[in-house]
Amino acid sequence: MSNIPSELKYTKSHEWVRIEGDGTATVGISDHAQTLLGDMVFVELPEPGAALEAGEECAVVESVKAASDVYTPLSGKVVAANELLEDAPETVNTDAYNDGWLFRIRLEDEAELKELLDAEAYAELVAEEDH
Amino acid sequence: MPFIPHTEGDTRAMLATCGVDSLEDLFDEIPPELRANALDGIPAGCDELAVSQLLHARAAQNAQPLCFSGAGAYEHHIPAAVWEITSRGEYYSAYTPYQAEASQGTLQLLYEFQTMVAELTAMAVANASLYDGATALAEAVLMAVRANRKSKSRRILMPRTVHPRYRDVVETIVRHQGIELTRLDYDTAGGHIDPTSLPTEPGDVTALVIPQPNFFGALEDADTLTDWAHAHGALVIGVVNPTAMAVINPPGEWGGAGADIVCGEGQPLGIPLASGGPYFGFMCCKQKIVRQMPGRIIGATVDLEGKRGYVLTLQAREQHIRRSKATSNICTNQGLMTTAATIYMAVMGSAGLENVARQCHANTRALIKQLSAIDGVETVFDRPTFHETVLRLPRPVNGVLEELAGHGILGGVDLARDYPELGHALLVCATETRSEADLDAYAVALREVLA
Amino acid sequence: MNNEPLIFEHSRPGRINRAQSAHLGGDLDDIPDTLRRQRRPGLPEVSELDAVRHYTRLSQKNFSIDTHFYPLGSCTMKYNPRACNTLASLPGFLGQHPLSAVRDSQGILACLWDLQEMLKAVTGMCAVSLTPMAGAQGEFAGVAMIRAYHDARGDDARTEILVPDAAHGTNPATATMCGYSVREIPTDAQGDVDVVALKAAVGPHTAGIMLTNPSTLGVFERRIHEIARIVHQAGGLLYYDGANLNAILGKVKPGDMGFDVIHINLHKTFSTPHGGGGPGSGPVGVSERLHPFIPIPLVGRDDNSAFRWLDEHDLPQSIGRLSAHMGNTGILLRAYVYALMLGREGMVRIADYATLNANYLMARLRAAGFDMALPERRATHEFILTLKHQAKEPGVTAMDFAKRLLDYGFHAPTTYFPLIIPECLLIEPTETESKEALDAFVEAMVAIQAEAEKDVETLKGAPYSLPVRRLDDVQAARELDLRWQANGGMAS
């Protein structure tokens, strides 16, 4: 059973979002996603300063057997990328929701938040996929 | 039925196991209207003896003149050990080392190959080879576009001193990816890219290609060109001859920071001329952009017991995983050719390769000296060259080469089609395989032809 | 088996192989110091015997067709006749410079011409270019021709290539290289292309479809005529991936199935060596309407029946060149020798016996209790076994079976391809294996199944008898070590 913290928002493509309350949001991939991908060997992150549109491919998480695109759930400018992952990509496996975050973005359009799934809806999605 | 071991009894028993009466029944899912008629146009099968006789006759039809042509394919001596070992069935009839534990021979050899190529070019890392020098350059261009994330122009500066056929191949392969190939002209006195002719404000450039030596055999001012490119945010793609690397400043040491991507034709490293192939392309790069490199890459690791072993690595870049987002559609290297090249480099060593390079250079100089003493024959460029040079003849090269062929001499490559502005220009080279007597024979023949 | 050190670890400073270059050398005084190399490259310094012994020992760590049954699906690991190598290596062929005069090259040109004609005959296409250097380059040439065709007609709305979800990864990667987006078409439960989904997907944006037939699932695409009609009616073209041509050689011609362009993997169907991963060779064949775009050079024939190269002057609309010269000529020669030995009867026999061996092996494995991915279907030259039940209980995967097979002296089948079949082994025995070899493989599979039921850990730890145990590819990818260095440590 995967770990789905209730305070976070989620997407159908298995990203999580934490609203930081200072006009920014942090994005990572869910515990379910990291389990599917397996041992992470490389993470490619967006460059700070890059302007992204919701739904755009902006990062790649790579294991030995798969490489998966990460889509930004929100539009805005990237304010930080998790440099720790350059040398320790396995952090995405060990701590997907905290130290394994991917990037932080400055929100442009609060309305986009309504499109995100809450923990309950995401848990349902994951349960369906397991069938 | 060559190479099919089944006895009639085997076939009957196997059909029974399959629950069918005849071989034809096994094709019952093919719609009948698609079934082909007999293979008209294919001759009846032959025994090995008959095929051998035909092929010997065909091989004999190929004349074997004394070769003074280079232009990217060079006749070098190949130590007997190279193909004796390469032709072993364990190398010849193995496949891509996907099952690493059953392929440690090929994998360790390729790891050694990567090391040797990186040493030759003074670069950080190399891949396990690409198809040939021309496609390696095309892949290098695509790689530069991926690796230079700051550049948005997808603009590549492609000098005319790069092999014309390489430029053709690059054009074919990158055409559909929105990449602009900007032609750079050469200095007509030196036969090289004059760094002072480069624009001071070139705009956004993704990469500059630097051939060393260039197609004319001339040595580019690679240090200055590299620094210029880096000063303008462009990456540097070196295209180098591996024999030259034994004596010429390698791309890893060009300018202040070295070339970023290096590629070239590996044929001089133990691969026969063979009418143009199979050869292999090599590719190297700086460590920080290795994930943008296409092709197979071998890495060292450990097994369950901590023992050293080798595997294909960084496979997530490749088409079988990444599909439409792969770095390239490439899914092979030139395995057998890299096997030969690895053994060639091991058998020759650095000292041996340097001796070969020096002898080639000396032979070409001696040849140029003899030929340019003939009335009406002169060298075209004044830059230093390595083991290949352009001469100008007093009349069209085409006819001269035909007459030389009558003397049993392949006298070089006619540049009229690719470089008409050079007049009656001929590209010649003499490798270590040409003796003094060979050089004399060429000079005597040319003197006679031009008389 | 002992650990064989790297060649660099055999190296001793100052050891020179004098047999090769002791009498060579010369001045470089006309090359200024700034252009000269300052420090020698670190190639190994070994004796010739050191090198011969080292590379012979390494060779002994490989599985190969010459030493093992190698049922690697989709790769066609059949016997590579020695005659092909010997005859392609005649000095008259090996010594030929690629820019030799045409009149000095009639021998090689005649061979290439014959091969072009034979490939036209077996594929039913109107012209063949031998220049692509591998299957993937043949694919590139094919899709580039499709693009050139649409472009020449000013039809620039066609931006999409259709690819079945079971396709080899090169198909979508190739479409991308040609500037197309890729749309995947699902496969139905019987392994055929989902025609309803295909109908919904085609339109004025469709440039073409890339199909392998028999498909990568090891079955014949039965509705190929209907697929061809749907795509052609939408204005798209059909690309035939010839990876599995060996299964239908002399039985069906791709030209008759309605394909506009095809590539052939000579290293599969025509048994040229795999060489530890190349060189391949991927000639392309075209229908009449794509003929103007075919890649150069080709071999043509003059009125006086002399052979010559056809280039951009003969084919001004060609997509262009794919190699500096004529592709992998020496591989083409090997395929030519093979084709001559087989002849027209032999080619049909390839399809017959490759198919017999696959169906026999499938029948025996099924009788032994293994599950087939498509049990209702006839196998072509290969078939797919799925271990999804074993993966749940007792918990051994396709990878575990594959690694354990190595201990039994068999190269593993292809694992985890096609991606749409869980825990799969794609098994291709080829026509050159005997009944005894196939029977021995069945016995090994049965024995491994028994081991799995008894003790899962036996399989998880495999292989045991090879030069190395199971290798850590996660470490290889995380801590990249791509070259040896004298002082250890990472390259910078």
Side-chain angles (χ1 to χ4, degrees):
Chain A
M1 191 62 213
S2 49
N3 172 15
I4 303 175
S6 59
E7 69 276 20
L8 303 181
K9 299 284 187 188
Y10 299 87
T11 69
K12 285 180 183 164
S13 49
H14 305 288
E15 290 87 7
W16 59 259
V17 177
R18 183 189 298 119
I19 316 298
E20 301 292 356
D22 60 352
T24 70
T26 304
V27 180
I29 66 166
S30 73
D31 183 52
H32 175 71
Q34 71 78 16
T35 307
L36 284 181
L37 284 163
D39 291 326
M40 220 56 82
V41 297
F42 184 68
V43 179
E44 187 182 315
L45 296 168
E47 296 204 13
L52 304 178
E53 292 217 13
E56 195 178 331
E57 295 167 13
C58 65
V60 182
V61 283
E62 193 180 302
S63 68
V64 172
K65 60 180 182 183
S68 181
D69 290 307
V70 177
Y71 304 88
T72 176
L74 304 163
S75 305
K77 204 165 245 181
V78 176
V79 291
N82 186 359
E83 285 169 18
L84 170 75
L85 302 180
E86 274 176 30
D87 292 323
E90 62 274 19
T91 314
V92 176
N93 297 117
T94 54
D95 194 7
Y97 295 112
N98 294 299
D99 290 349
W101 64 280
L102 299 181
F103 58 93
R104 191 165 298 141
I105 197 165
R106 179 161 302 282
L107 296 181
E108 236 168 40
D109 182 0
E110 298 264 340
E112 287 172 356
L113 296 172
K114 295 197 189 91
E115 305 293 316
L116 301 174
L117 306 175
D118 62 18
E120 200 176 322
Y122 182 66
E124 257 172 51
L125 181 89
V126 170
E128 267 170 42
E129 280 194 5
D130 278 345
H131 274 281
Chain B
M1 289 192 274
F3 317 119
I4 295 173
H6 302 58
T7 65
E8 278 181 32
D10 289 339
T11 304
R12 270 197 308 275
M14 293 169 78
L15 287 170
T17 303
C18 298
V20 297
D21 297 328
S22 70
L23 289 166
E24 267 314 300
D25 290 349
L26 295 172
F27 296 89
D28 55 5
E29 288 193 2
I30 299 180
E33 70 273 16
L34 283 176
R35 291 300 301 271
N37 300 321
L39 287 172
D40 301 332
I42 308 278
C46 303
D47 292 341
E48 183 174 314
L49 170 62
V51 179
S52 173
Q53 286 164 339
L54 173 68
L55 269 283
H56 274 89
R58 290 273 173 83
Q61 268 184 289
N62 280 351
Q64 296 278 303
L66 270 183
C67 180
F68 293 92
S69 286
Y74 302 92
E75 182 185 330
H76 290 294
H77 172 67
I78 304 172
V82 171
W83 283 91
E84 286 279 337
I85 305 295
T86 302
S87 302
R88 286 179 65 95
E90 298 93 328
Y91 289 127
Y92 188 80
S93 72
Y95 190 48
T96 301
Y98 288 128
Q99 290 294 339
E101 297 85 355
S103 315
Q104 285 298 296
T106 291
L107 285 162
Q108 182 173 333
L109 180 142
L110 290 173
Y111 179 85
E112 294 178 2
F113 170 82
Q114 289 173 182
T115 307
M116 291 180 192
V117 171
E119 281 291 331
L120 270 187
T121 54
M123 297 294 289
V125 288
N127 74 8
S129 81
L130 297 163
Y131 304 135
D132 75 347
T135 55
L137 178 57
E139 291 288 351
V141 165
L142 294 172
M143 177 179 170
V145 170
R146 291 190 297 271
N148 192 345
R149 288 169 73 170
K150 293 209 170 73
S151 167
K152 303 294 171 208
S153 67
R154 299 169 84 87
R155 184 162 157 248
I156 308 290
L157 300 185
M158 181 68 80
R160 285 186 72 213
T161 55
V162 171
H163 194 308
R165 295 296 82 72
Y166 286 26
R167 286 185 273 132
D168 292 344
V169 171
V170 173
E171 171 74 27
T172 306
I173 292 177
V174 311
R175 180 184 295 150
H176 301 301
Q177 302 198 40
I179 291 168
E180 181 190 342
L181 299 168
T182 304
R183 217 165 79 147
L184 269 191
D185 232 317
Y186 61 92
D187 177 63
T188 50
H192 71 307
I193 316 157
D194 177 3
T196 62
S197 74
L198 295 171
T200 47
E201 284 178 32
D204 184 349
V205 177
T206 305
L208 166 69
V209 177
I210 305 176
Q212 188 76 324
N214 69 25
F215 181 66
F216 302 133
L219 293 168
E220 300 282 359
D221 183 355
D223 291 331
T224 310
L225 294 172
T226 297
D227 290 341
W228 177 87
H230 287 155
H232 294 98
L235 298 183
V236 168
I237 300 172
V239 190
V240 301
N241 174 315
T243 309
M245 290 300 99
V247 293
I248 301 298
N249 192 28
E253 291 168 14
W254 290 350
D260 302 281
I261 304 170
V262 175
C263 62
E265 173 55 65
Q267 178 274 331
L269 301 172
I271 313 301
L273 290 170
S275 295
Y279 296 169
F280 70 92
F282 57 86
M283 181 179 262
C284 317
C285 69
K286 289 183 174 168
Q287 183 81 35
K288 67 177 178 193
I289 53 175
V290 64
R291 282 171 191 278
Q292 301 301 338
M293 186 151 62
R296 294 200 177 122
I297 300 175
I298 312 306
T301 185
V302 293
D303 74 359
L304 280 176
E305 294 168 358
K307 188 164 151 187
R308 180 166 66 178
Y310 306 88
V311 295
L312 288 166
T313 193
L314 294 181
Q315 291 193 73
R317 304 158 300 125
E318 294 193 64
Q319 47 72 32
H320 61 280
I321 290 175
R322 205 73 172 108
R323 298 177 78 84
S324 65
K325 286 172 182 158
T327 50
S328 165
N329 75 343
I330 237 165
C331 64
T332 189
N333 59 345
Q334 299 278 102
L336 201 63
M337 303 297 124
T338 51
T339 303
T342 306
I343 299 173
Y344 176 86
M345 287 187 272
V347 167
M348 299 304 291
S350 296
L353 197 63
E354 178 174 337
N355 288 344
V356 168
R358 285 173 172 271
Q359 187 72 51
C360 292
H361 189 64
N363 283 0
T364 301
R365 281 175 85 186
L367 177 70
I368 298 304
K369 196 171 165 203
Q370 286 211 46
L371 299 186
S372 56
I374 298 169
D375 261 356
V377 179
E378 57 181 8
T379 54
V380 173
F381 301 122
D382 59 13
R383 280 286 293 184
T385 60
F386 174 75
H387 100 348
E388 195 156 18
T389 296
V390 181
L391 292 176
R392 189 173 288 123
L393 304 185
R395 60 184 178 85
V397 171
N398 192 14
V400 173
L401 286 177
E402 246 176 60
E403 289 183 52
L404 284 171
H407 289 78
I409 287 171
L410 178 56
V413 177
D414 182 4
L415 299 185
R417 192 161 141 189
D418 292 302
Y419 302 93
E421 70 278 10
L422 292 178
H424 309 316
L426 172 70
L427 183 65
V428 291
C429 110
T431 67
E432 86 280 12
T433 58
R434 293 287 75 86
S435 66
E436 267 185 59
D438 295 341
L439 307 187
D440 292 344
Y442 189 3
V444 168
L446 185 62
R447 188 164 274 130
E448 201 180 310
V449 167
L450 292 178
Chain C
M1 194 179 292
N2 286 334
N3 218 2
E4 174 63 18
L6 289 160
I7 189 76
F8 306 98
E9 294 164 325
H10 287 294
S11 181
R12 293 295 174 272
R15 186 165 287 160
I16 294 172
N17 178 8
R18 291 196 168 75
Q20 297 302 339
S21 69
H23 304 285
L24 301 181
D27 283 340
L28 298 164
D29 52 9
D30 58 329
I31 301 178
D33 269 358
T34 52
L35 293 171
R36 294 268 300 276
R37 184 161 191 139
Q38 303 305 320
R39 186 184 56 83
R40 270 192 179 162
L43 298 183
E45 297 175 88
V46 297
S47 70
E48 195 164 307
L49 173 59
D50 287 337
V52 166
R53 193 171 279 163
H54 172 72
Y55 290 107
T56 301
R57 283 182 178 160
L58 286 191
S59 77
Q60 291 167 335
K61 295 179 178 227
N62 273 359
F63 277 38
S64 68
I65 300 169
D66 284 4
T67 53
H68 296 80
F69 179 39
Y70 211 127
L72 195 63
S74 175
C75 299
T76 314
M77 301 301 283
K78 60 180 167 180
Y79 172 55
N80 303 145
R82 277 292 185 275
C84 302
N85 188 44
T86 302
L87 296 176
S89 305
L90 292 173
F93 293 125
L94 288 190
Q96 185 93 8
H97 192 280
L99 301 175
S100 294
V102 160
R103 73 167 188 195
D104 288 344
S105 312
Q106 290 296 303
I108 180 71
L109 286 168
C111 296
L112 298 178
W113 167 271
D114 286 351
L115 182 61
Q116 283 177 188
E117 293 299 306
M118 287 199 273
L119 294 181
K120 275 159 63 175
V122 294
T123 59
M125 305 306 281
C126 108
V128 165
S129 167
L130 302 173
T131 184
M133 291 182 285
Q137 216 191 23
E139 283 183 37
F140 174 83
V143 178
M145 282 188 268
I146 289 175
R147 174 140 185 175
Y149 169 81
H150 293 309
D151 287 351
R153 291 156 49 94
D155 189 352
D156 55 9
R158 300 189 180 275
T159 54
E160 195 171 87
I161 288 278
L162 307 175
V163 176
D165 58 3
H168 197 268
T170 48
N171 288 176
T174 297
T176 302
M177 282 186 85
C178 292
Y180 285 122
S181 58
V182 175
R183 183 186 292 202
E184 288 205 337
I185 305 296
T187 303
D188 70 20
Q190 288 302 309
D192 291 310
V193 165
D194 182 336
V195 171
V196 176
L198 176 68
K199 278 184 186 154
V202 297
H205 51 274
T206 304
I209 186 168
M210 299 179 81
L211 274 182
T212 310
N213 195 14
S215 73
T216 55
L217 296 165
V219 294
F220 193 85
E221 186 64 63
R222 292 171 290 193
R223 297 169 79 177
I224 183 65
H225 257 161
E226 193 181 351
I227 293 169
R229 201 180 60 241
I230 293 167
V231 175
H232 277 151
Q233 275 175 358
L237 299 186
L238 270 83
Y239 180 88
Y240 179 77
D241 180 327
N244 297 336
L245 181 68
N246 53 321
I248 56 166
L249 209 57
K251 304 283 180 189
V252 183
K253 296 179 183 174
D256 296 343
M257 289 191 269
F259 285 98
D260 299 285
V261 53
I262 74 163
H263 89 262
I264 306 159
N265 295 302
L266 294 183
H267 48 285
K268 298 182 183 178
T269 304
F270 288 86
S271 205
T272 64
H274 285 80
S281 185
V284 284
V286 293
S287 62
E288 198 65 55
R289 61 175 151 183
L290 289 182
H291 193 179
F293 310 107
I294 198 165
I296 50 174
L298 282 79
V299 180
R301 206 166 189 176
D302 281 339
D303 301 338
N304 60 3
S305 83
F307 298 105
R308 69 178 182 90
W309 296 112
L310 302 181
D311 60 18
E312 40 277 272
H313 295 279
D314 304 284
L315 292 153
Q317 287 183 282
S318 164
I319 58 160
R321 288 177 187 270
L322 297 164
S323 74
H325 304 293
M326 177 48 201
N328 288 334
T329 314
I331 299 302
L332 298 168
L333 268 180
R334 286 167 174 82
Y336 176 55
V337 170
Y338 183 72
L340 286 175
M341 290 174 81
L342 291 177
R344 53 177 170 263
E345 326 80 9
M347 288 194 192
V348 180
R349 288 294 168 195
I350 287 182
D352 282 337
Y353 282 84
T355 304
L356 175 64
N357 276 4
N359 279 282
Y360 173 75
L361 194 52
M362 181 169 84
R364 287 221 49 205
L365 286 167
R366 192 189 325 206
F370 288 98
D371 296 321
M372 301 303 138
L374 296 167
E376 312 290 313
R377 299 294 304 268
R378 187 79 75 198
T380 56
H381 63 303
E382 60 190 356
F383 61 96
I384 303 174
L385 184 155
T386 173
L387 295 163
K388 63 179 179 202
H389 290 125
Q390 286 88 338
K392 281 194 184 129
E393 183 59 45
V396 293
T397 63
M399 181 63 74
D400 298 328
F401 261 81
K403 298 299 184 195
R404 189 62 178 147
L405 274 168
L406 303 178
D407 281 328
Y408 280 81
F410 295 98
H411 194 281
T414 298
T415 50
Y416 300 103
F417 178 82
L419 306 176
I420 60 174
I421 309 286
E423 297 300 333
C424 65
L425 297 178
L426 178 60
I427 304 175
E428 179 180 14
T430 84
E431 74 277 10
T432 60
E433 295 298 333
S434 66
K435 180 170 175 292
E436 297 78 51
L438 306 183
D439 289 341
F441 181 77
V442 174
E443 281 166 30
M445 287 291 288
V446 169
I448 292 169
Q449 174 70 27
E451 286 178 338
E453 285 162 12
K454 208 160 119 198
D455 177 19
V456 171
E457 292 313 309
T458 308
L459 267 64
K460 295 284 172 200
Y464 300 93
S465 58
L466 274 73
V468 288
R469 298 284 304 278
R470 212 177 286 198
L471 290 157
D472 184 349
D473 45 11
V474 172
Q475 177 178 326
R478 272 189 194 155
E479 298 163 29
L480 287 179
D481 173 357
L482 309 181
R483 61 175 288 190
W484 183 81
Q485 291 203 303
N487 53 2
M490 288 269 289
S492 55

